[in-house]
Amino acid sequence: MRRSSLIAIAFLGLGFLAMAAIPKDVLVIGIKHAAIIDFEPARVYEIEGGFVLEQLYDTLVDFEGGGVEAFQSVKPGLAESWEVSKDGLTWIFHIRRGAKFHSGREVTAQAVEFSLRRSLELNRPPIWILKQFVASPDDIKALDRYTVAITMKQKIGEMLMGAILGFQGICSILDPEEVKAHATSDDPWATKWLAEHDAGSGPFKLVEWIRNDRIVLEAFADYWDGAPKVKRVVLKDIPEPANQMLLLLKGDIDIAWNLLPDQIAELRGKKGIKFVSTPTFIFYYAAMNMGMEPFNHEEVRDAIRYAINYDAIVQGILRGEAVPCHTFEPVGLFGHLDLLYPYDPEKAKSLLDAAGFVDKNGDGWRDYPDGRPLEIELWVRNDPPYTDIAVQIQQDLAKVGLKVKITQMVYSQLLKFYRAQKAPMVLVRWGIDYVDPNANAIPFAHCRTPGPEAKYKQLAWRNKFCPSGVSDLVEEAVGILNPDAREAFYKVIQYIVWDKGPYVIIAQPKFTVAMRANVEGLEIPPVWRFTELMHVYKS
């Protein structure tokens, strides 16, 4: 480590006591470290760990730009070009010449083969993302020094290929010689060493990690896409958002990463502070079990969707830190269908009236058509904003004569019932696993049978939503190579689910970070683990 690096690290490790100003070529980010376990690429699954790996490693392919449109197209990474075989099964990648690992060694096709085979052999939990399409390590082959072929189990579209092979961690490309140099007889893949070091080719190098204190990254001057604009990044562990806000206002950090909506609202208008915000690929949603009354009636499901005041949730409860989204492919994802339910309580009433759900005993609440009292059970996780959203839904449905009983549960308990098809109506959230529409189409739309023999026991199965023919569309869409045709398939699937399904998809929360006014170049994609820091600088 160079002497200048040691001086800067020591300076930044003093807890910013008596610090006059952060050096211009050093970027200090206040961020929670609690979720970070280590930096072994084959194991990292948590968002925070993935964010660090994004700075240290490259993948074969990447995505275009940042912000809400970040995942609309695939761009070159370590592969400067690629093509797919005539049968649509084998993708052939041409590795850019001259790309270097942090060791100075050249990145080659053999390194790609080694890295991806290593992840498959280690078989850690995130590997399902790759293994669902790559059957065996033998299906990854270096054809020469700069060409590698990867054979899939089935045809997949280019966006899906990019979402899988661009997933940082299991598909990070490692320096084989560096890994071998730190391997031992009981740790042949050097997992212990890689837990605290890097063997990457990314724009930054890992130079220090002190748990519960700081992670220090140093710019890699020989990066193939140009050197980063700052020499050093310090990720300072500041668990409490309130402390992040105070340190940002004092100028002791450049960026506050984990602020809450109330703190963001408090900072708006403050001199010297600005924000970067993007809708995440997470959304809040309610789901109705179609195997239970009254949700087996389409009119009731539609009435509930029309009765909810979505704007009151987005602008009121969520303080505008969200965007409306009512289809299962989020805003900003390739294939998103921009279709919203209007707030129309009168239409909700007419649907319920026509289906025979009227007040039969004069108590002001609607009953079943046969006269039984009707009470909707809404099960909700017991933390904000879910409890507040549940109360809003309860109030909105009351306005159309539907009585709602809210039951709060610890999230783990709620999931246990939900996964066993035993929940009537739930209010939870969903986050995408990888950035392709297939990642959401399977859980939300694939269900051939509600029984125990089902292939996928995900959201559609949990809610006993098994529409005829839709599972066929989901399976066919995976292998469509023409992007326009593939996008059209996903829009058709979304429309069917939007129209007939059990879901009330509400909104995508925004991810917003606050920063000093002199910070430039930061773009945050909808899945913030993919945020790249190499273009960030201070003016």
Side-chain angles (χ1 to χ4, degrees), residues 94-399:
H94 304 282
I95 308 304
R96 64 177 68 250
R97 298 174 188 235
K100 294 180 180 179
F101 288 111
H102 299 157
S103 64
R105 302 181 188 95
E106 189 180 26
V107 178
T108 64
Q110 286 73 23
V112 174
E113 177 188 276
F114 172 86
S115 302
L116 299 182
R117 287 186 174 190
R118 176 183 184 273
S119 289
L120 288 165
E121 292 286 359
L122 283 170
N123 200 35
R124 300 292 173 84
I127 199 61
W128 73 268
I129 293 173
L130 180 61
K131 283 182 74 174
Q132 64 181 324
F133 298 112
V134 178
S136 163
D138 294 336
D139 291 326
I140 302 161
K141 297 177 181 178
L143 304 182
D144 57 40
R145 187 171 177 81
Y146 300 107
T147 311
V148 64
I150 301 176
T151 299
M152 306 292 179
K153 296 178 184 178
Q154 63 183 97
K155 291 193 295 182
I156 62 173
E158 183 177 78
M159 272 299 300
L160 182 51
M161 176 277 291
I164 302 303
L165 296 179
F167 192 90
Q168 196 65 264
I170 54 167
C171 293
S172 300
I173 306 306
L174 283 64
D175 182 343
E177 297 307 312
E178 198 72 21
V179 175
K180 292 171 185 176
H182 294 92
T184 63
S185 58
D186 62 342
D187 185 19
W189 294 111
T191 60
K192 294 177 183 176
W193 184 83
L194 282 164
E196 298 184 346
H197 303 82
D198 86 81
S201 62
F204 291 93
K205 300 180 286 184
L206 177 63
V207 295
E208 186 180 42
W209 178 27
I210 300 177
R211 289 180 183 270
N212 306 313
D213 185 5
R214 63 186 180 268
I215 298 164
V216 182
L217 312 178
E218 185 178 277
F220 180 39
D222 292 329
Y223 187 55
W224 61 266
D225 200 24
K229 293 188 176 182
V230 293
K231 291 183 179 179
R232 209 159 287 110
V233 173
V234 179
L235 303 174
K236 188 72 179 171
D237 185 17
I238 306 173
E240 293 299 325
N243 290 340
Q244 290 187 22
M245 183 177 74
L246 291 174
L247 290 169
L248 181 70
L249 287 169
K250 289 171 62 180
D252 288 346
I253 62 175
D254 296 305
I255 301 174
W257 204 261
N258 304 110
L259 298 186
L260 301 174
D262 287 348
Q263 292 156 348
I264 292 166
E266 184 177 341
L267 285 174
R268 291 202 184 276
K270 294 275 188 184
K271 187 177 180 180
I273 303 296
K274 63 182 182 180
F275 303 87
V276 172
S277 182
T278 191
T280 64
F281 283 171
I282 295 168
F283 46 71
Y284 304 118
Y285 78 99
M288 301 168 278
N289 190 328
M290 292 172 57
M292 297 184 184
E293 290 189 298
F295 308 118
N296 55 335
H297 296 272
E298 183 179 346
E299 297 88 350
V300 173
R301 301 195 302 273
D302 285 342
I304 289 172
R305 287 187 275 256
Y306 285 116
I308 295 173
N309 188 340
Y310 300 97
D311 192 60
I313 296 172
V314 171
Q315 299 303 325
I317 296 169
L318 302 177
R319 294 177 173 266
E321 292 294 320
V323 296
C325 177
H326 298 171
T327 50
F328 66 76
E329 303 293 8
V331 174
L333 184 66
F334 170 79
H336 165 70
L337 178 63
D338 189 12
L339 195 59
L340 299 173
Y341 297 106
Y343 173 47
D344 192 345
E346 293 306 313
K347 184 168 185 176
K349 291 176 184 177
S350 65
L351 286 167
L352 293 167
D353 289 343
F357 290 87
V358 297
D359 179 9
K360 293 182 179 290
N361 58 21
D363 65 355
W365 298 107
R366 293 179 183 271
D367 301 301
Y368 283 100
D370 61 8
R372 286 175 295 139
L374 170 58
E375 182 178 64
I376 289 172
E377 288 191 63
L378 175 57
W379 295 2
V380 56
R381 51 187 287 180
N382 63 343
D383 56 329
Y386 306 95
T387 49
D388 298 322
I389 295 173
V391 170
Q392 180 68 49
I393 291 173
Q394 182 185 50
Q395 294 171 350
D396 290 338
L397 296 191
K399 292 175 183 177

Side-chain angles (χ1 to χ4, degrees), residues 508-520:
Q508 293 169 234
K510 295 177 183 178
F511 184 73
T512 301
V513 302
M515 55 193 178
R516 303 293 299 181
N518 65 332
V519 177
E520 306 287 350

